[in-house]
Amino acid sequence: MQTSQLELSRRMADVARSLRAESDDIETVLRAISKAAIDSIPGTEYASVTLVTGKSRVETPVAIGDLAGRSDALQQELGEGPCIRSAIGEKTVWIDDMRDEARWPRFAAAADALGIASMICFSLYVEGDQFSALNLHSTTPSIFDDEARSIGQLFADHASVALSSVREKEQLRTALNSRDLIGQAKGMIMERYHLDSTAAFRLLAKLSQDSNVKLVDVAQRVVDAGPEDR
């Protein structure tokens, strides 16, 4: 690997570490990723993150710049486009010149009218039925050369690691909160009905099964109801 590439790799690793350290909030990290992409990848003027759920529901949790948001809005409306293809296809997709783009003619015509001349989209992460892509936009055609694509892919790889770490933290925090809530509800049931820990949990589980409601939601209802009046 050449010296410049080594320096770039180290810089991207520093960005990823910084993202992991700065926030435990997904939206904040996605915004930081998009802003860093604009600063790091030659030719980039606007950036967004597209989230596709179940291969049909399309959202844009973060857009840096009006054109990025309008580009994603077009793809949401049409149900097609490079951002969606990159997210679901788990690959890099680029458009050198929007005027010559034939894969998504409706999107290309509308994007060209907005002033978007070129785009490049990187698959960011896949988790269950959720897919996402990091999208870069420019008002200059053919701006994303091989170097920009290489830097962008390296950046996206490191950003994916950072984002995965934050998602794991969120999931762990949710699991711990759920455990605490269930424990609180179980304690209230033990006191109210003079049951031991095992019997109280079984009662919660049965209520969850019979009502087809998640265990943690049943626990929340028990806690919200408060102690029984004496």
Side-chain angles (χ1 to χ4, degrees):
M1 183 179 287
Q2 298 177 356
T3 302
S4 60
Q5 290 176 306
L6 280 170
E7 291 175 352
L8 177 62
S9 181
R10 289 168 182 160
R11 183 154 59 92
M12 293 299 100
D14 288 341
V15 170
R17 282 193 293 270
S18 175
L19 290 173
R20 288 197 298 269
E22 284 179 2
S23 176
D24 291 338
D25 176 72
I26 289 290
E27 184 174 344
T28 300
V29 172
L30 289 176
R31 184 168 295 279
I33 287 172
S34 302
K35 180 63 171 63
I38 292 175
D39 295 338
S40 304
I41 302 170
T44 306
E45 297 176 57
Y46 310 95
S48 68
V49 173
T50 300
L51 178 64
V52 183
T53 303
K55 298 188 177 182
S56 58
R57 181 183 175 188
V58 181
E59 301 173 86
T60 305
V62 169
I64 307 297
D66 181 59
L67 279 184
R70 294 172 75 181
S71 170
D72 265 35
L74 274 175
Q75 293 174 82
Q76 291 175 29
E77 178 184 344
L78 298 173
E80 64 175 27
C83 305
I84 297 173
R85 174 68 63 82
S86 178
I88 296 177
E90 300 175 48
K91 62 182 181 180
T92 300
V93 176
W94 64 88
I95 297 175
D96 284 327
D97 193 327
M98 200 65 70
R99 294 168 298 183
D100 299 329
E101 176 54 48
R103 289 169 292 182
W104 307 284
R106 291 184 300 163
F107 167 75
D112 178 53
L114 290 176
I116 302 171
S118 55
M119 287 180 63
I120 186 166
C121 310
F122 302 93
S123 177
L124 201 52
Y125 74 88
V126 177
E127 182 173 312
D129 67 342
Q130 287 195 334
F131 309 81
S132 72
L134 172 65
N135 318 302
L136 313 179
H137 312 71
S138 177
T139 57
T140 302
S142 303
I143 194 67
F144 298 116
D145 57 14
D146 289 342
E147 180 186 10
R149 294 171 193 169
S150 178
I151 293 173
Q153 187 59 63
L154 182 61
F155 181 87
D157 289 344
H158 282 296
S160 294
V161 172
L163 188 56
S164 177
S165 175
V166 174
R167 291 180 70 84
E168 287 174 3
K169 289 179 184 178
E170 277 199 345
Q171 290 168 354
L172 177 60
R173 184 165 59 247
T174 298
L176 290 174
N177 289 341
S178 296
R179 185 190 66 180
D180 291 344
L181 184 64
I182 291 170
Q184 185 179 356
K186 189 171 68 172
M188 294 174 69
I189 289 174
M190 289 169 65
E191 180 180 1
R192 182 179 302 172
Y193 299 109
H194 307 290
L195 300 174
D196 61 21
S197 177
T198 300
F201 182 80
R202 286 176 178 169
L203 178 55
L204 276 174
K206 180 171 175 51
L207 289 171
S208 172
Q209 182 177 8
D210 291 349
S211 59
N212 196 29
V213 174
K214 291 181 180 179
L215 182 62
V216 67
D217 293 334
V218 171
Q220 183 67 64
R221 293 177 184 179
V222 171
V223 171
D224 289 344
E228 189 179 49
D229 294 334
R230 297 184 182 278

